[in-house]
Amino acid sequence: MFLTPAEKVRDYENRGWWKGESVDAMTRRAVASGGDADALVDPFNRDSLDGRDPERLSWSELDERVDRLAAALLADGLTKDDIVLAQLPNTVDAVLLFLACARTGAILSPVAMPYRRHELEYIVDQVRPRFIVTVASFAGFDHAALARTLAEREGRMEVLIFGDGERDLRAKAAKTDPERTRTHVEANPVAGGEVLTICWTSGTESRPKGVPRDHNHWVLNAEVVADGTGAKAGDVLLNPFPLVNIGSIGGLVMPWLMLGTKLVLHHPFDLGVFLRQIEQERVSYTIAPPAVLTALLKQPQILEAVDISSLHTVSSGSAPLSPWLIEGWAKKGIEITNVFGSNEGAGLFSSAASVPDYASRARYFPRFGAEGQSWEARSHEVSSSRLVDPETEEEIATPGRAGELRLGGASIFACYWQSPELTEAAFDDQGHYRTGDLFEIAEEDERFYRFIGRSKEIIVRGGINISPAEIDDLLTGFPMAVEAATVGIPDDRLGERIAVAVVPVEGAEPKLEDVIAFLAERDVAIYKRPERLVLMDKLPRNPMNKIMRNELRAMVLGKLAE
């Protein structure tokens, strides 16, 4: 399936920005060079996650497992361009499914484990998947039952389960002739310009948006991330995030394939397990949220109990970093890379190589792709960036003036899934993606952008984007409220938490527990449920009757402080 215009594909491939090859071609190179070396390692506590013993696969074993899994899918009727919806924890099965889709020309649409019927029904309606692949159960929830309910509703969608007795997809794959995959691959070559994934992102809209990304996007992503963050040949990578977005797939899985090294998986995030994996597997590169890095520096006794001397770099983002944090880790011999990015392909990196000064690295990002700039970075070669006044569309070239960051080039997605209106709104008249994030050219050094804040209304809780509009829409049916609206409030550990402002109906005294129960009845993911509640006489609205969320946030914080 091709969604990126053919002329753009030709242009970027002619420039050398895209290689025009599939992710499977990258995988096969890694297999050829890696052989019997370790490639993929399960969480050592996997048996507590889904009842399976942890696995450790060499590159050769991984290659055979991908062939067999692909063959099992083909035997069940998979064809090129079919969409596979996956809800899987971060184990070897999730990675193998990603690679099997890349090999067969299928399209993987991964979703987060906390998603429930509310989120999944919408996504199923959008992509009409051929298969939904999940586990029997996880964290006490019956994922297999939910998948079968969705399949009954959809009709043509089939359910495949990892860990469902005799119907176990893993067991079926082990018995399937891998020659079926080889025959299919020969007859169905995959081009770099074809879609590989549809990931889901939240913004100001009330529903998540599907973000298709081609093989070309992902192959380039590996180059940009490895070059921009400090990951290097020979690194052992630890991936603490599930394979559902660019942070995990682009931030670790694709660099792992490019470097042909070892990838260690982790899920759900558990600090003790995370540190022990670094020690046991001699991890040298990983990613972690700022709150975790801060907590570890403030509790040195935790680090004293483990040996993390193999670690040289940690990438972090989703919330502002502090110079204290970066300097504190540097004193331990570990560099922190400051990362700004999105599923749409936005990406800026402040690493030890590009921004050695600790204070600057915490506050600034190199102006990769900006006119008149010169950086020795892959991201700079393949992208363009500029700041624009979001009200007047005037381009900003002077320091100290805030503007929306606009990005173009080979890393940026082509369109939202079956959403032409959203796609049109996402790009400006120069074809640059409107990030919705405010930056300014640094007055101290014009080579850098300084992050100001988000102009979009998304809540970022623990690195996960949450649309307040989606929660607002759900709460319109809350019987104890005349109206309700959601905002993000600052939190030292998670970056932001969800607060809801409720105007109660006459005589009602709604509690936070009432709101949570209302959303739980509608199978809304747990992480989207509010953690604070304030009662108000009315909500602030503009002349167009739209919630003025910045003003509401200030009012909520004021009431919480009383």
Side-chain angles (χ1 to χ4, degrees), residues 75-279:
D76 276 334
L78 181 77
T79 60
K80 187 178 180 183
D81 289 337
D82 276 347
I83 296 175
V84 178
L85 183 68
Q87 188 173 36
L88 296 170
N90 199 18
T91 65
V92 299
D93 294 323
V95 178
L96 294 173
L97 182 63
F98 171 71
L99 298 177
C101 287
R103 185 160 291 183
T104 58
I107 300 169
L108 181 70
S109 186
V111 296
M113 292 303 292
Y115 276 13
R116 298 295 183 256
R117 179 171 52 84
H118 166 73
E119 293 86 8
L120 292 178
E121 282 184 350
Y122 174 78
I123 291 172
V124 166
D125 286 344
Q126 291 294 302
V127 298
R128 302 291 181 184
R130 178 68 179 82
F131 297 104
I132 179 168
V133 181
T134 189
V135 290
S137 63
F138 184 79
F141 183 79
D142 192 337
H143 285 275
L146 175 57
R148 292 184 180 113
T149 299
L150 294 168
E152 290 173 2
R153 180 175 178 272
E154 166 61 17
R156 71 179 290 272
M157 183 176 71
E158 295 185 34
V159 177
L160 300 175
I161 307 294
F162 281 112
D164 194 24
E166 294 180 359
R167 294 173 55 82
D168 181 14
L169 179 57
R170 187 184 300 100
K172 181 175 181 177
K175 300 174 183 177
T176 307
D177 185 356
E179 189 59 33
R180 181 189 288 268
T181 298
R182 297 165 194 144
T183 301
H184 170 87
V185 170
E186 289 178 6
N188 298 274
V190 178
E194 296 185 65
V195 176
L196 172 55
T197 59
I198 303 171
C199 295
W200 297 88
T201 189
S202 295
T204 56
E205 296 77 20
S206 63
R207 287 292 197 171
K209 298 171 287 189
V211 181
R213 289 183 69 79
D214 305 346
H215 289 257
N216 275 330
H217 287 122
W218 287 123
V219 171
L220 175 63
N221 200 111
E223 301 171 4
V224 166
V225 169
D227 174 71
T229 63
K232 57 189 179 182
D235 273 342
V236 176
L237 310 180
L238 174 57
N239 184 9
F241 299 135
L243 275 68
V244 296
N245 58 25
I246 198 169
S248 177
I249 300 174
L252 283 156
V253 174
M254 292 309 305
W256 160 67
L257 289 175
M258 187 185 78
L259 298 172
T261 181
K262 179 169 72 173
L263 179 67
V264 183
L265 304 173
H266 176 104
H267 189 132
F269 191 82
D270 180 290
L271 182 58
V273 173
F274 183 72
L275 293 174
R276 285 173 61 194
Q277 285 180 299
I278 294 174
E279 180 179 57

Side-chain angles (χ1 to χ4, degrees), residues 115 119 199-211 342-344 416 433 435 454 456-460 464-470 527-528:
Y115 276 13
E119 293 86 8
C199 295
W200 297 88
T201 189
S202 295
T204 56
E205 296 77 20
S206 63
R207 287 292 197 171
K209 298 171 287 189
V211 181
S342 73
N343 273 315
E344 288 85 352
Y416 289 114
Y433 168 59
T435 66
R454 293 191 308 278
K456 291 183 178 179
E457 297 174 342
I458 57 171
I459 299 167
V460 183
I464 300 175
N465 287 358
I466 300 168
S467 166
E470 177 185 4
Y527 69 84
K528 295 182 181 178

